Amino acid sequence: MAEDKAARKSGNVLGMFPQSQIQEFKEAFGMMDVNRDGFIDVSDLKAIHNDLGRNPSDKDLNEMLKECPGQLNFTAFLTLFGEKMHGTDSETTFRQAFEQFDPEKKGKLSEEYVKDLLLNVGDQFKEEEIRQVWKEAKPHGGLFDYDAFVTLVKRGPQDEMAQ
């Protein structure tokens, strides 16, 4: 359980699954990426459904793709499966939780306000845990960029995504 929690905290989706299961997901992704462009898009979903004798509307297919923030590449595909299988919140749900404290939806909150929330509300953090959060998601100019933090937690460091 501690390893599972650590994998989710690090944002490393590959740490959530054994290598054999990742290979199975990679094969499934390859079968779904009909046009072989490295992304699953509406045309891929339409082709898969047509092969199964179904004819969903583009609206329905686009709704399916909305579960993934951004393009649905293999890492995002794996992340979606990880969230479903391990019971973690989606990126959208995670971001919306922060937005409850940001009525103007600017994507940033006062560093002191976030620190106060972490110390005094819900599962209260210790000072060391807050230092670890700040180490991974440094506030700039007294502001905590929760949009960047959500992306970091759910997708990992952006330089990993380029690989």
Side-chain angles (χ1 to χ4, degrees):
M1 183 158 131
E3 289 174 0
D4 189 38
K5 186 176 178 183
R8 279 183 271 157
K9 270 189 173 181
S10 72
N12 183 359
V13 70
L14 298 176
M16 295 174 74
F17 300 103
Q19 190 59 40
S20 60
Q21 194 171 24
I22 292 170
Q23 188 57 42
E24 290 174 11
F25 284 131
K26 191 171 261 186
E27 289 172 20
F29 181 86
M31 290 170 39
M32 295 175 77
D33 182 17
V34 177
N35 61 14
R36 303 287 184 248
D37 65 354
F39 301 95
I40 295 174
D41 57 21
V42 171
S43 67
D44 293 320
L45 290 178
K46 189 174 281 193
I48 292 164
H49 281 272
N50 288 341
D51 287 347
L52 296 171
R54 297 192 175 139
N55 191 18
S57 69
D58 283 353
K59 180 184 175 202
D60 289 340
L61 297 173
N62 280 309
E63 284 297 315
M64 288 180 205
L65 289 172
K66 280 185 182 176
E67 285 193 47
C68 178
Q71 292 185 308
L72 185 53
N73 61 13
F74 179 67
T75 304
F77 180 79
L78 205 56
T79 300
L80 288 173
F81 270 95
E83 289 169 352
K84 299 290 184 200
M85 293 174 71
H86 292 94
T88 62
D89 290 326
S90 71
E91 186 169 337
T92 301
T93 301
F94 193 17
R95 186 168 279 107
Q96 287 171 342
F98 279 105
E99 288 174 354
Q100 296 299 307
F101 302 99
D102 181 15
E104 296 176 15
K105 312 275 188 275
K106 292 184 174 183
K108 294 180 171 60
L109 294 167
S110 158
E111 174 182 356
E112 288 305 313
Y113 181 56
V114 173
K115 183 176 180 180
D116 181 60
L117 289 172
L118 293 173
L119 287 170
N120 298 305
V121 178
D123 291 336
Q124 297 169 355
F125 277 46
K126 296 180 178 116
E127 287 285 342
E128 177 56 30
E129 292 172 313
I130 292 173
R131 279 192 289 279
Q132 289 175 337
V133 171
W134 288 170
K135 183 179 174 187
E136 294 297 322
K138 254 180 214 145
H140 296 285
L143 294 175
F144 174 71
D145 184 341
Y146 69 79
D147 268 336
F149 180 69
V150 168
T151 300
L152 172 71
V153 170
K154 299 308 280 182
R155 300 187 205 177
Q158 291 305 288
D159 56 332
E160 276 184 18
M161 295 301 292
Q163 296 176 3

